[in-house]
Amino acid sequence: ANHLEKKLKAVLAKELALRVFVSVYADGPTRVLRFSDKKDTAAIQEELSMLEMHARLRKLEDELANNVNRQFASLYGTMKNRPLTLDLYGRNTLYLAAAQQARSAMTPKPKKTPGRRRIEAREQTKAKRRKLGEGSQQIAQSIFADEMKDSVEDTSNTILSLGGELTVTVHSANNIAGNPQTTHSYAEIELDGQIQKTHIALQTCDPVWNENFVIPNTHATSFLNVSIVSVRAQSCAPIRSRGGTSKTFLGSVRIPLLDTFTMESSESIPYVLGRRQGSQQVSGEVILSIAWKTSATNLMQMKVRTYEDILAQRMEILAGMQPTSADEWEKRISDIKKKEALVRHLGYQKGDVTISVIAAKNLKRRSTFQPLATLDFSLEGPLCNPFVMVSCSECKKDMVFHTNVVSQSLDPVFDKDRTFQFEDVPLSDYIKFDLYDKTPFGSPELIGSRRVYCSEICGSTSTPFNPVYAWINLEVAGKAKKNEHIPQLHVRMQWYPPHRAMKNTTSIYLTLNSIGVALISGGVGGELINMTFDQLSLRRVLDDRETVVSAGIKRVQIDNQLPNATQPVVLQSVSAAGGIGQCDFLS
């Protein structure tokens, strides 16, 4: 906790420190340096980004405190006068506060000596001076200072939102298992599902790689997995592709990144390799360097991502604990036109749909007797082998998914980890569920089907994009008999708005404060023309729908550098009012 507090205070001091921006200007052959506290474009954009993230963070905190906690309180029957308040770990803060008070009551408080009173009075005076001087600070810096102070006071919740840019350097490995003549090894780094690999070191049990891997926006609570793998090569030539070659596991190590976050320097640390299974032959160690680059923007981004993940997880839990019944679902879709008009008014017309089939119930036994289907003989016939086909109305024919087949069951439970996703689905389209019975002979028999429109999935006006767990009635061919149960499916459905469905987005932003180009002649013996361009900007954003390119030049000047030139200035940008450099030369 002390090392973490020092790290956060160092970031806070760096953010609140006064900055001096140095600009270089060219006036012919003369170069002028200007020192000023006026922020450049990058600093201004960073402050605007900080303000946007702070507003997003306040909305997430309000959603967690006022919406999610109330729903959890209603589930557990908590009284209104004693609301349920959860922290980021899901713990009730009332019990934590009571335990903290009991623990503090047992701990004897230190007596205040005259020296301690003088120190506390000095700290209070410094705090008052800091508050008086906050008026001259920028809004973004004040916001970040408040966030960092809260983080220092409550380090338990702060741990979840720590992170930044992680740099992993794989130096080498020593004494790995294997024959040096046939060992061609490389290191594999895995973090949050992302895998990166080094080059292959040929014919050695002491490989040296010395490769750096930069991973941005990394949570400090993640785990870094490093594995050493050997491949079989037919020759000693450098191996470009690892496809088709057999691999041999030589050891791995799992590193908690939280232990490395407070390291003061990126020292080379040896980690002992371990086994994945007890029968594997593993020996040696791998030498790594782990360094963190943390800034105010990184910490705020990590905090916003943490709150977004926690909010999504808790909304998922609430939806799963309170699935919509079949009768409630029919009532919900009865007034869907009004809700669809509202979602269309917001501008959301296309998005991604995620479907998971969880279970089914109220299935009937087969009407025909098929003894090869099961060993459970009965007068009513064997049970069903159900599975579900999921398709979209406007998607391609090959975009048809199916669940696993559950053998001999009238209340099947399917593999809920199978998730089916459809992209760019309009609100007017529908998802079709077909429940089949896989017979031992012939094609599967259709038990029932149901169409669910995307506008029905995001029917809630307050939270239209939250997941929906519901039981839906299936439409059976023919008329249903009296007192006959209708087959039902338990499904999870979620419709994402377009900004989350956007794919393949590339953004390039380039700014140059100043650039100069000179034309020099060796025959004349000096400089002929000097061109100066100030504040050049280029921005290009490419996505699946459009490409936006914008560019601008603030100031242009072309000077004649010949010694006998009567007009040294050939071209210069002048505003309509006659001022120099007051308007953009090109935008």
Side-chain angles (χ1 to χ4, degrees):
N2 294 332
H3 293 289
L4 178 59
E5 183 178 349
K6 291 180 181 179
K7 182 88 172 182
L8 296 177
K9 288 183 177 180
V11 177
L12 177 61
K14 182 179 179 180
E15 182 66 23
L16 298 181
L18 296 178
R19 300 179 183 179
V20 177
F21 298 89
V22 182
S23 304
V24 182
Y25 292 91
D27 186 8
T30 306
R31 300 294 183 268
V32 180
L33 293 178
R34 189 183 72 174
F35 298 86
S36 174
D37 59 351
K38 184 179 180 180
K39 295 179 173 57
D40 55 4
T41 305
I44 295 175
Q45 288 188 351
E46 185 177 354
E47 289 187 355
L48 294 177
S49 176
M50 184 73 69
L51 294 176
E52 292 177 359
M53 288 187 292
H54 181 262
R56 172 63 177 163
L57 185 62
R58 294 285 82 84
K59 290 182 179 180
L60 292 172
E61 290 178 346
D62 182 70
E63 180 72 15
L64 281 172
N66 298 327
N67 185 15
V68 177
N69 285 351
R70 288 181 180 179
Q71 296 188 42
F72 272 106
S74 62
L75 284 177
Y76 290 102
T78 308
M79 301 300 293
K80 293 183 179 180
N81 56 357
R82 297 184 61 188
L84 181 67
T85 305
L86 303 178
D87 62 356
L88 297 183
Y89 293 92
R91 302 172 299 185
N92 192 347
T93 56
L94 296 178
Y95 294 105
L96 292 177
Q100 183 66 25
Q101 291 178 0
R103 192 180 301 111
S104 59
M106 297 175 61
T107 305
K109 296 182 180 180
K111 296 181 180 180
K112 291 187 177 182
T113 61
R116 181 181 294 274
R117 294 193 188 97
R118 286 195 297 268
I119 293 176
E120 291 182 356
R122 194 181 307 160
E123 293 296 332
Q124 293 176 1
T125 304
K126 290 182 180 180
K128 291 181 181 179
R129 291 177 180 177
R130 284 196 297 266
K131 288 183 179 180
L132 293 176
E134 282 182 357
S136 60
Q137 300 291 337
Q138 297 294 332
I139 300 177
Q141 290 182 343
S142 301
I143 289 174
F144 179 70
D146 295 338
E147 296 292 338
M148 293 297 295
K149 290 176 182 177
D150 296 339
S151 300
V152 172
E153 294 175 358
D154 187 7
T155 56
S156 60
N157 288 336
T158 306
I159 292 176
L160 295 178
S161 57
L162 293 178
E165 183 181 276
L166 177 67
T167 302
V168 180
T169 304
V170 184
H171 295 287
S172 60
N174 299 326
N175 300 324
I176 59 177
N179 186 356
Q181 298 299 323
T182 60
T183 301
H184 316 288
S185 59
Y186 65 92
E188 184 177 277
I189 296 177
E190 188 272 330
L191 179 63
D192 296 335
Q194 299 181 3
I195 299 177
Q196 302 188 45
K197 302 176 182 179
T198 65
H199 69 276
I200 297 179
L202 300 175
Q203 294 183 322
T204 178
C205 289
D206 299 312
V208 178
W209 298 290
N210 288 328
E211 292 192 21
N212 298 327
F213 300 96
V214 179
I215 308 174
N217 299 328
T218 303
H219 278 286
T221 54
S222 303
F223 286 85
L224 178 68
N225 299 313
V226 181
S227 303
I228 308 299
V229 181
S230 176
V231 295
R232 293 181 182 178
Q234 300 297 330
S235 63
C236 296
I239 302 173
R240 296 294 181 184
S241 176
R242 303 183 183 95
T245 59
S246 60
K247 302 178 182 179
T248 303
F249 175 77
L250 299 180
S252 65
V253 60
R254 183 176 175 87
I255 305 172
L257 294 179
L258 188 59
D259 297 340
T260 66
F261 187 77
T262 55
M263 289 184 178
E264 297 181 357
S265 61
S266 57
E267 299 179 355
S268 300
I269 302 176
Y271 293 91
V272 179
L273 298 174
R275 300 183 181 91
R276 288 179 180 172
Q277 300 176 0
S279 60
Q280 294 173 340
Q281 295 182 358
V282 174
S283 64
E285 60 186 12
V286 60
I287 301 176
L288 306 174
S289 295
I290 301 177
W292 288 89
K293 183 179 180 182
T294 306
S295 62
T297 306
N298 293 138
L299 292 177
M300 187 63 75
Q301 287 177 349
M302 292 294 103
K303 193 168 186 178
V304 171
R305 284 180 55 187
T306 300
Y307 274 83
E308 289 178 345
D309 294 342
I310 292 175
L311 180 61
Q313 292 173 3
R314 295 185 181 177
M315 294 306 297
E316 188 81 27
I317 294 172
L318 289 171
M321 295 178 64
Q322 294 178 309
T324 304
S325 64
D327 296 336
E328 293 175 349
W329 179 258
E330 298 298 332
K331 294 179 181 179
R332 168 176 173 156
I333 65 176
S334 60
D335 193 20
I336 203 63
K337 292 184 178 180
K338 180 179 179 181
K339 298 174 182 178
E340 180 181 352
L342 174 61
V343 178
R344 287 185 179 275
H345 178 70
L346 296 175
Y348 301 124
Q349 298 184 2
K350 281 189 175 183
D352 288 358
V353 180
T354 304
I355 303 295
S356 298
V357 182
I358 302 174
K361 64 180 181 180
N362 299 337
L363 304 186
K364 296 189 301 181
R365 292 174 179 264
R366 291 173 180 166
S367 58
T368 58
F369 184 73
Q370 297 176 351
L372 294 179
T374 177
L375 297 177
D376 183 15
F377 295 98
S378 63
L379 295 177
E380 298 179 353
L383 305 181
C384 299
N385 299 323
F387 69 96
V388 181
M389 303 285 292
V390 184
S391 60
C392 182
S393 58
E394 296 296 332
C395 294
K396 299 179 181 179
K397 293 183 179 181
D398 56 349
M399 295 291 291
V400 178
F401 304 99
H402 62 86
T403 65
N404 59 308
V405 179
V406 181
S407 301
Q408 296 301 294
S409 176
L410 297 180
D411 296 312
V413 177
F414 302 101
D415 184 8
K416 63 180 180 180
D417 293 333
R418 288 193 180 186
T419 303
F420 314 129
Q421 186 171 5
F422 303 93
E423 297 181 354
D424 294 332
V425 181
L427 284 172
S428 58
D429 291 351
Y430 60 85
I431 305 297
K432 187 178 180 182
F433 300 92
D434 295 320
L435 178 61
Y436 286 93
D437 176 18
K438 185 178 180 181
T439 58
F441 303 105
S443 59
E445 296 182 358
L446 179 64
I447 300 177
S449 62
R450 180 63 183 266
R451 294 180 179 181
V452 177
Y453 286 87
C454 296
S455 56
E456 299 173 357
I457 299 175
C458 56
S460 176
T461 56
S462 59
T463 55
F465 312 126
N466 285 344
V468 177
Y469 287 77
W471 287 94
I472 57 176
N473 292 326
L474 298 181
E475 299 175 357
V476 184
K479 295 183 179 180
K481 299 180 181 179
K482 292 184 178 180
N483 300 327
E484 184 180 6
H485 295 290
I486 301 176
Q488 295 181 0
L489 278 182
H490 187 197
V491 295
R492 178 200 179 274
M493 302 173 288
Q494 189 172 13
W495 189 85
Y496 297 95
H499 67 274
R500 295 193 61 178
M502 187 70 68
K503 305 293 183 182
N504 301 326
T505 302
T506 304
S507 178
I508 300 176
Y509 188 64
L510 176 65
T511 58
L512 294 176
N513 195 14
S514 180
I515 185 173
V517 179
L519 179 62
I520 302 175
S521 174
V524 179
E527 187 177 9
L528 301 181
I529 297 177
N530 184 277
M531 295 178 289
T532 304
F533 304 91
D534 292 340
Q535 298 185 16
L536 287 80
S537 63
L538 175 63
R539 185 173 182 267
R540 181 176 183 268
V541 179
L542 173 65
D543 54 43
D544 294 340
R545 301 177 180 176
E546 62 182 1
T547 302
V548 179
V549 179
S550 59
I553 301 176
K554 181 70 175 179
R555 177 176 174 270
V556 173
Q557 181 171 338
I558 301 178
D559 298 329
N560 186 353
Q561 300 298 315
L562 295 176
N564 299 325
T566 57
Q567 299 292 336
V569 179
V570 179
L571 177 65
Q572 187 180 47
S573 58
V574 180
S575 65
I580 297 177
Q582 299 297 324
C583 62
D584 290 345
F585 175 77
L586 176 64
S587 179

Short mmCIF file of all heavy atoms in Angstrom, two decimals, residues 7 37 49 80 108 139 143 164 185 232 236 343 345 365 422 450 483 489 502 539 567:
data_model
loop_
_atom_site.label_atom_id
_atom_site.label_comp_id
_atom_site.label_asym_id
_atom_site.label_seq_id
_atom_site.Cartn_x
_atom_site.Cartn_y
_atom_site.Cartn_z
N LYS A 7 3.50 5.79 -5.79
CA LYS A 7 3.35 5.81 -7.24
C LYS A 7 2.26 6.78 -7.66
O LYS A 7 2.43 7.60 -8.58
CB LYS A 7 3.00 4.41 -7.72
CG LYS A 7 2.86 4.26 -9.22
CD LYS A 7 4.17 3.95 -9.88
CE LYS A 7 3.97 3.63 -11.34
NZ LYS A 7 5.24 3.28 -12.01
N ASP A 37 4.00 29.39 -21.26
CA ASP A 37 3.15 28.42 -20.56
C ASP A 37 1.85 28.18 -21.31
O ASP A 37 0.96 27.49 -20.81
CB ASP A 37 2.84 28.90 -19.15
CG ASP A 37 2.13 30.25 -19.14
OD1 ASP A 37 2.05 30.88 -20.21
OD2 ASP A 37 1.68 30.67 -18.07
N SER A 49 -10.22 15.60 -23.50
CA SER A 49 -10.47 14.16 -23.31
C SER A 49 -10.68 13.83 -21.84
O SER A 49 -11.53 13.00 -21.49
CB SER A 49 -9.31 13.35 -23.89
OG SER A 49 -9.47 11.98 -23.64
N LYS A 80 -36.18 0.09 2.61
CA LYS A 80 -35.83 1.35 1.96
C LYS A 80 -35.02 2.25 2.87
O LYS A 80 -34.20 3.03 2.41
CB LYS A 80 -37.12 2.08 1.54
CG LYS A 80 -37.87 1.34 0.42
CD LYS A 80 -39.09 2.15 0.00
CE LYS A 80 -39.83 1.44 -1.14
NZ LYS A 80 -41.02 2.20 -1.58
N PRO A 108 -5.50 0.59 19.88
CA PRO A 108 -5.30 1.79 20.71
C PRO A 108 -4.82 2.96 19.86
O PRO A 108 -3.96 2.81 18.99
CB PRO A 108 -4.22 1.34 21.71
CG PRO A 108 -3.51 0.21 21.02
CD PRO A 108 -4.54 -0.49 20.20
N ILE A 139 -9.19 23.14 -15.15
CA ILE A 139 -10.29 22.32 -14.66
C ILE A 139 -9.91 20.85 -14.72
O ILE A 139 -10.18 20.08 -13.80
CB ILE A 139 -11.56 22.60 -15.47
CG1 ILE A 139 -11.95 24.06 -15.34
CG2 ILE A 139 -12.70 21.69 -15.04
CD1 ILE A 139 -13.15 24.44 -16.16
N ILE A 143 -9.83 18.15 -11.63
CA ILE A 143 -10.61 16.90 -11.65
C ILE A 143 -9.70 15.72 -11.37
O ILE A 143 -10.01 14.85 -10.54
CB ILE A 143 -11.31 16.75 -13.01
CG1 ILE A 143 -12.44 17.77 -13.12
CG2 ILE A 143 -11.84 15.33 -13.20
CD1 ILE A 143 -13.08 17.80 -14.48
N GLY A 164 -2.01 1.17 -17.48
CA GLY A 164 -1.30 2.09 -18.36
C GLY A 164 -0.67 1.32 -19.51
O GLY A 164 -1.14 0.26 -19.92
N SER A 185 13.90 -22.62 -30.11
CA SER A 185 12.86 -22.14 -29.19
C SER A 185 12.51 -20.68 -29.44
O SER A 185 13.31 -19.90 -29.98
CB SER A 185 13.32 -22.31 -27.74
OG SER A 185 14.53 -21.60 -27.54
N ARG A 232 10.35 -28.14 -34.24
CA ARG A 232 11.26 -29.01 -34.98
C ARG A 232 11.50 -28.41 -36.36
O ARG A 232 10.58 -28.15 -37.10
CB ARG A 232 10.67 -30.40 -35.11
CG ARG A 232 10.54 -31.15 -33.79
CD ARG A 232 9.97 -32.53 -34.01
NE ARG A 232 9.80 -33.23 -32.74
CZ ARG A 232 9.28 -34.45 -32.63
NH1 ARG A 232 8.89 -35.11 -33.72
NH2 ARG A 232 9.15 -35.02 -31.45
N CYS A 236 18.81 -25.63 -40.49
CA CYS A 236 19.20 -24.55 -39.57
C CYS A 236 18.89 -23.18 -40.14
O CYS A 236 19.32 -22.17 -39.59
CB CYS A 236 20.69 -24.65 -39.25
SG CYS A 236 21.12 -26.15 -38.36
N VAL A 343 -36.49 4.26 -30.21
CA VAL A 343 -35.12 3.87 -30.55
C VAL A 343 -34.73 4.42 -31.91
O VAL A 343 -33.60 4.88 -32.12
CB VAL A 343 -34.99 2.33 -30.50
CG1 VAL A 343 -33.58 1.91 -30.90
CG2 VAL A 343 -35.30 1.83 -29.11
N HIS A 345 -35.88 7.15 -33.17
CA HIS A 345 -35.69 8.59 -32.96
C HIS A 345 -34.28 8.89 -32.45
O HIS A 345 -33.72 9.94 -32.74
CB HIS A 345 -36.74 9.11 -31.99
CG HIS A 345 -36.59 10.57 -31.68
ND1 HIS A 345 -36.85 11.56 -32.61
CD2 HIS A 345 -36.19 11.21 -30.54
CE1 HIS A 345 -36.62 12.74 -32.07
NE2 HIS A 345 -36.23 12.56 -30.81
N ARG A 365 -43.12 -36.32 -25.55
CA ARG A 365 -42.49 -37.55 -26.00
C ARG A 365 -42.86 -37.80 -27.47
O ARG A 365 -43.86 -37.29 -27.97
CB ARG A 365 -42.94 -38.74 -25.15
CG ARG A 365 -42.43 -38.69 -23.72
CD ARG A 365 -43.04 -39.81 -22.89
NE ARG A 365 -42.53 -39.79 -21.53
CZ ARG A 365 -41.52 -40.51 -21.10
NH1 ARG A 365 -40.90 -41.33 -21.95
NH2 ARG A 365 -41.11 -40.44 -19.86
N PHE A 422 -24.75 -11.90 -34.95
CA PHE A 422 -25.12 -11.41 -36.27
C PHE A 422 -24.79 -9.92 -36.33
O PHE A 422 -25.13 -9.17 -35.42
CB PHE A 422 -26.62 -11.62 -36.54
CG PHE A 422 -27.06 -13.05 -36.41
CD1 PHE A 422 -27.57 -13.54 -35.21
CD2 PHE A 422 -26.96 -13.91 -37.48
CE1 PHE A 422 -27.98 -14.85 -35.09
CE2 PHE A 422 -27.37 -15.24 -37.38
CZ PHE A 422 -27.87 -15.71 -36.19
N ARG A 450 -40.11 -19.82 -33.53
CA ARG A 450 -40.55 -18.50 -33.05
C ARG A 450 -39.66 -17.43 -33.66
O ARG A 450 -38.44 -17.60 -33.77
CB ARG A 450 -40.48 -18.42 -31.53
CG ARG A 450 -40.92 -17.07 -30.95
CD ARG A 450 -42.39 -16.79 -31.24
NE ARG A 450 -42.80 -15.48 -30.75
CZ ARG A 450 -43.35 -15.25 -29.56
NH1 ARG A 450 -43.54 -16.26 -28.72
NH2 ARG A 450 -43.73 -14.05 -29.21
N ASN A 483 -55.16 -27.93 -21.96
CA ASN A 483 -54.28 -28.32 -20.86
C ASN A 483 -52.96 -28.90 -21.35
O ASN A 483 -52.29 -29.64 -20.63
CB ASN A 483 -54.97 -29.34 -19.94
CG ASN A 483 -56.24 -28.79 -19.32
OD1 ASN A 483 -56.33 -27.59 -19.04
ND2 ASN A 483 -57.23 -29.66 -19.12
N LEU A 489 -38.54 -21.85 -24.88
CA LEU A 489 -37.08 -21.73 -24.94
C LEU A 489 -36.62 -20.65 -23.98
O LEU A 489 -37.25 -19.58 -23.88
CB LEU A 489 -36.61 -21.37 -26.36
CG LEU A 489 -36.48 -22.48 -27.40
CD1 LEU A 489 -35.95 -21.92 -28.70
CD2 LEU A 489 -35.56 -23.58 -26.90
N MET A 502 -19.33 -0.87 -34.80
CA MET A 502 -18.39 -0.37 -35.79
C MET A 502 -17.13 -1.22 -35.79
O MET A 502 -16.58 -1.54 -34.76
CB MET A 502 -18.03 1.08 -35.49
CG MET A 502 -17.19 1.74 -36.57
SD MET A 502 -18.12 2.02 -38.06
CE MET A 502 -19.24 3.26 -37.49
N ARG A 539 -5.48 14.96 -40.46
CA ARG A 539 -6.31 14.00 -39.73
C ARG A 539 -7.06 13.13 -40.73
O ARG A 539 -7.70 13.64 -41.64
CB ARG A 539 -7.30 14.73 -38.82
CG ARG A 539 -8.14 13.81 -37.93
CD ARG A 539 -8.96 14.64 -36.96
NE ARG A 539 -9.75 13.81 -36.07
CZ ARG A 539 -11.01 13.45 -36.30
NH1 ARG A 539 -11.62 13.89 -37.40
NH2 ARG A 539 -11.68 12.70 -35.45
N GLN A 567 13.26 42.56 -52.66
CA GLN A 567 12.07 42.15 -51.91
C GLN A 567 12.35 40.78 -51.27
O GLN A 567 12.16 39.75 -51.91
CB GLN A 567 10.84 42.06 -52.84
CG GLN A 567 10.46 43.38 -53.51
CD GLN A 567 9.93 44.39 -52.50
OE1 GLN A 567 9.46 44.01 -51.43
NE2 GLN A 567 10.03 45.67 -52.85
#
